[in-house]
Amino acid sequence: MSTCRRVFIAIAMCMVSIGSACAASIMPGSPLDDGHGSTIVFETVTPERVKDFVERTVDKKVSITGRLAFPEAMNSAVPAVVILHGSSGVNPGEMVWAQRLNSMGFASFVVDSFTGRGVTNTEADQTQLSMTAGVADAYFALRLLAADPRIDKRKIGVMGFSRGGIAALYSAQEPFRRALIEDDLHFAAHIAFYPGCGIHYTSAHLDGAPILMLLGGKDNYTPAAPCVTYANDLRKQGAQVTLKTYPDAYHGFDRPTRLHVVKSATSARECHGAYDLDTNKFTMRKDEKTLSGTEATAESKRCLSYGVVLGGDALGREQSPLDVGEFLKSVFDSGQ
């Protein structure tokens, strides 16, 4: 039987079994290992409301997959990075980053948040899957990797792109961590590529891990300016935040794709609001007024716009791997 067929059968069998048992049975070295990495099925939850997530009342479980790969040479437990994809799902870009991380001496775990949930693309309709689902996936992945003896559980970072960047960034908020983690296990680093910061999550408590935000100066999908403001707010709380802005870059600047317009893509670039995780209060700003309740919900829908520019940027493609490598080396070498 071919490796591909064994992979397909193993995943199919696992998707109908109990998530925790499935994750335990499908580890690297099983038939799912094709020599370039291992596909692991693991259980997560799908929050529909932020309040339910932080109050631990979510019971809608689902099994999704992640692709785990290690550096070629390993003499001891290695650091690892969870990789979260954007609105188009896992594509070659995430795999390129996984290979880069492996070449740096780190394990990589590319999470597929869509397939197991029956989602293919959320560009035109982000309501298909809540943004907090990505945060949940990140923390379930952290728990999974921390149990692998080949991985140094003190040195597991999370990196995401666009929608995945939102999860990578806001998973630094302590209420999200406490929703799924009982002990002191936490991410060692958060790396967010072009995340959305117009409507952001806040809390008086952060997990204390360093944050790297990589932004496009011409991004009209998830503009840089709100992220700069959010970064400054985090710094006021004592967070260690590094900003890298590539001035002529659009959304997806790290990819080799040409610049192109996606007319159907939904953007929250005109939206301004916040969700306080400590009080479960959602507010939106409109015409210098602060809205809450049903008015805030209505404004969060009204402020959406359509049409974005996507594509690579020469400087962003060349510099971002260097910036990520320098950041991770600093974090992991310091033992944070």
Side-chain angles (χ1 to χ4, degrees):
M1 185 183 295
S2 70
T3 299
C4 290
R5 181 162 176 76
R6 290 200 306 270
V7 169
F8 176 80
I9 291 174
I11 291 177
M13 292 175 63
C14 200
M15 290 294 283
V16 297
S17 65
I18 301 299
S20 58
C22 188
S25 64
I26 302 184
M27 292 299 293
S30 74
L32 289 178
D33 193 336
D34 64 3
H36 300 288
S38 304
T39 298
I40 302 176
V41 180
F42 65 103
E43 190 176 76
T44 183
V45 295
T46 305
E48 294 184 357
R49 299 193 309 168
V50 179
K51 182 177 185 293
D52 296 334
F53 184 38
V54 298
E55 293 183 351
R56 299 186 175 193
T57 59
V58 178
D59 58 5
K60 189 176 182 180
K61 297 180 179 179
V62 65
S63 290
I64 62 173
T65 61
R67 184 75 168 171
L68 179 63
F70 286 89
E72 290 186 6
M74 291 175 52
N75 297 318
S76 59
V78 297
V81 179
V82 175
I83 300 176
L84 307 174
H85 62 76
S87 298
S88 61
V90 176
N91 58 50
E94 280 74 47
M95 297 308 177
V96 168
W97 273 103
Q99 293 169 358
R100 285 174 178 154
L101 292 166
N102 296 157
S103 68
M104 296 176 193
F106 313 139
S108 61
F109 190 56
V110 180
V111 174
D112 181 353
S113 294
F114 283 1
T115 304
R117 293 183 170 101
V119 177
T120 57
N121 189 302
T122 61
E123 283 182 345
D125 181 11
Q126 297 292 351
T127 65
Q128 294 176 76
L129 187 63
S130 71
M131 292 296 176
T132 49
V135 177
D137 296 350
Y139 273 111
F140 274 102
L142 172 64
R143 283 167 42 171
L144 180 70
L145 297 186
D148 191 319
R150 296 167 297 176
I151 293 173
D152 186 341
K153 67 178 183 179
R154 302 165 302 169
K155 298 180 180 181
I156 302 175
V158 58
M159 176 169 70
F161 304 86
S162 193
R163 172 185 255 273
I166 290 174
L169 174 62
Y170 298 125
S171 56
Q173 299 290 337
E174 184 67 1
F176 281 142
R177 191 192 72 85
R178 290 199 306 264
L180 294 175
I181 304 295
E182 298 287 349
D183 54 21
D184 61 355
L185 179 66
H186 63 278
F187 282 114
H190 301 265
I191 303 173
F193 275 80
Y194 31 88
C197 301
I199 300 177
H200 54 254
Y201 299 105
T202 64
S203 170
H205 306 284
L206 303 172
D207 68 1
I211 299 169
L212 172 64
M213 299 168 66
L214 303 104
L215 313 172
K218 293 184 177 180
D219 193 332
N220 70 344
Y221 198 167
T222 54
C227 289
V228 174
T229 299
Y230 184 61
N232 289 332
D233 290 341
L234 291 175
R235 286 169 177 151
K236 292 176 183 177
Q237 289 185 256
Q240 180 183 332
V241 184
T242 301
L243 280 178
K244 297 291 183 179
T245 302
Y246 311 108
D248 295 320
Y250 289 87
H251 200 83
F253 55 76
D254 60 305
R255 311 297 163 105
T257 53
R258 60 176 177 79
L259 287 179
H260 60 288
V261 175
V262 180
K263 294 182 179 180
S264 61
T266 306
S267 170
R269 57 181 170 249
E270 301 298 331
C271 301
H272 308 283
Y275 192 105
D276 188 325
L277 297 172
D278 298 331
T279 63
N280 284 307
K281 184 176 181 179
F282 175 55
T283 58
M284 291 289 294
R285 296 193 305 278
K286 179 185 179 184
D287 300 330
E288 305 302 322
K289 295 181 180 179
T290 299
L291 309 177
S292 59
T294 56
E295 289 185 317
T297 301
E299 173 60 15
S300 70
K301 298 176 181 178
R302 186 208 64 79
C303 65
L304 298 176
S305 53
Y306 296 88
V308 303
V309 178
L310 299 177
D313 171 72
L315 176 62
R317 279 197 304 270
E318 177 182 354
Q319 189 63 38
S320 59
L322 300 177
D323 291 334
V324 168
E326 180 181 2
F327 174 75
L328 285 176
K329 186 177 187 302
S330 173
V331 172
F332 292 152
D333 286 354
S334 69
Q336 294 192 46

